[in-house]
Amino acid sequence: TAGRFDPGGSDAPTQPVWTPDGKAVLYARNGPFEGEIVRHLVDGAGPDQTLLKVRGTWLCPTSISADGRFLLVTRWVQETGGDVVLIDLESGGSAQEAKPLVTTSGSDFGGVFSPDGRWFAYVSGESGASEILIEKFPERGQKTRVASGPIGLVPPPMWSPDGKEIYFMRGTRGQVDVMAARVEHTPTLRVAEPRRLFTGNFLVGADSGQTFAVSPDGRRFILQRLPPGRSRELGSATQLQVVQNWFTELRTGGAAQ
């Protein structure tokens, strides 16, 4: 069952993220000087609720911790460009609870929590290239590199449901490789050389959010395949769409309509 909602007051809605209980999605509405993090109830039981106002010209929520307390957001500000911001959703709407987590001289975006909440991965441009890095949460510390590429060509990463792999996209116009890197957490964090899973002409995300998903059992990917000749970059959107019971639609052919 597909449902659409209009995120009023936003020039282009950003990627929504699901709450752990599956009852709501959080998205950003952006204005000229600050943005809002908004909760939308999937069952439509109430109006959209503004949780927090955050300074910045562009916000995009990217990940919620498994306990539902912390939200990672990509924020663009004039002084530092892209930053990864940590929001405490139990703060009661205090803007002081929006704290910069990764702020470097480069562009940092796409923060995602590991399933156990002990690590987070993100894209950083601090070195002059785009790198996918992993750090400990919340204490941070040593940065472990997963992959690197030219600036602007490394989209946000994603953890496997069991936390044992990092997925990401790599490629140029026309063909995109979906990659996986094995992650060992003990005795110390180690990341294996990334390997290619499959290739296709897929839509690739950037600071506007992720464009693929993994099923809870880790066996299926959901991607948007582009027709030949179409650009791989994320285009503009005016609506967010929520699909419930999507696997039933897929089996009956409704998803292809």
Side-chain angles (χ1 to χ4, degrees), residues 50-69:
T50 298
L51 303 180
L52 192 71
K53 293 180 182 288
V54 182
R55 186 181 68 87
T57 58
W58 180 261
L59 301 177
C60 178
T62 53
S63 182
I64 301 178
S65 58
D67 61 5
R69 177 176 178 179

Side-chain angles (χ1 to χ4, degrees), residues 11 49 53 57 125 130 132 152 196 204:
D11 54 356
Q49 177 188 6
K53 293 180 182 288
T57 58
S130 287
I132 297 176
R196 183 178 64 85
V204 176

Side-chain angles (χ1 to χ4, degrees), residues 5-18:
F5 62 97
D6 179 13
S10 177
D11 54 356
T14 60
Q15 165 196 284
V17 294
W18 287 95

Side-chain angles (χ1 to χ4, degrees), residues 129-141:
S130 287
E131 297 181 304
I132 297 176
L133 304 175
I134 300 176
E135 290 194 53
K136 191 82 170 174
F137 181 81
E139 57 266 35
R140 300 191 62 189

Side-chain angles (χ1 to χ4, degrees), residues 21-255:
D21 60 12
K23 295 181 179 180
V25 293
L26 305 186
Y27 67 95
R29 283 197 294 235
N30 292 296
F33 303 108
E34 69 175 6
E36 300 175 334
I37 302 299
V38 183
R39 176 189 286 125
H40 171 81
L41 297 177
V42 175
D43 62 5
D48 288 8
Q49 177 188 6
T50 298
L51 303 180
L52 192 71
K53 293 180 182 288
V54 182
R55 186 181 68 87
T57 58
W58 180 261
L59 301 177
C60 178
T62 53
S63 182
I64 301 178
S65 58
D67 61 5
R69 177 176 178 179
F70 295 107
L71 174 69
L72 292 178
V73 173
T74 297
R75 176 181 68 175
W76 284 90
V77 293
Q78 184 174 2
E79 296 84 358
T80 58
D83 298 329
V84 177
V85 175
L86 177 69
I87 294 176
D88 186 345
L89 295 175
E90 297 180 359
S91 66
S94 170
Q96 294 180 349
E97 296 304 319
K99 300 178 179 178
L101 183 63
V102 183
T103 304
T104 72
S105 57
S107 179
D108 310 301
F109 64 92
V112 284
F113 288 113
S114 62
D116 63 7
R118 297 176 56 222
W119 309 89
F120 73 103
Y122 62 98
V123 179
S124 176
E126 182 181 16
S127 69
S130 287
E131 297 181 304
I132 297 176
L133 304 175
I134 300 176
E135 290 194 53
K136 191 82 170 174
F137 181 81
E139 57 266 35
R140 300 191 62 189
Q142 180 178 346
K143 301 175 182 179
T144 301
R145 188 174 69 177
V146 177
S148 64
I151 283 288
L153 295 182
V154 177
M158 178 178 293
W159 291 87
S160 63
D162 60 9
K164 295 181 179 180
E165 288 188 306
I166 289 279
Y167 302 127
F168 62 97
M169 290 180 169
R170 171 186 288 168
T172 58
R173 292 177 183 272
Q175 290 296 311
V176 174
D177 293 330
V178 177
M179 308 291 293
R182 192 74 177 172
V183 180
E184 295 184 12
H185 298 264
T186 58
T188 59
L189 186 72
R190 292 189 299 173
V191 179
E193 185 71 19
R195 68 190 190 282
R196 183 178 64 85
L197 298 179
F198 52 90
T199 301
N201 187 24
F202 303 121
L203 183 70
V204 176
D207 51 18
S208 297
Q210 193 54 268
T211 56
F212 72 101
V214 183
S215 63
D217 62 7
R219 298 175 58 189
R220 298 177 179 89
F221 285 79
I222 303 174
L223 308 100
Q224 181 174 342
R225 189 187 301 275
L226 297 175
R230 283 287 301 275
S231 168
R232 71 183 189 92
E233 280 81 22
L234 188 65
S236 61
T238 58
Q239 291 181 323
L240 292 177
Q241 183 163 319
V242 178
V243 181
Q244 297 173 281
N245 304 317
W246 65 271
F247 198 66
T248 300
E249 287 199 33
L250 182 65
R251 287 185 296 186
T252 59

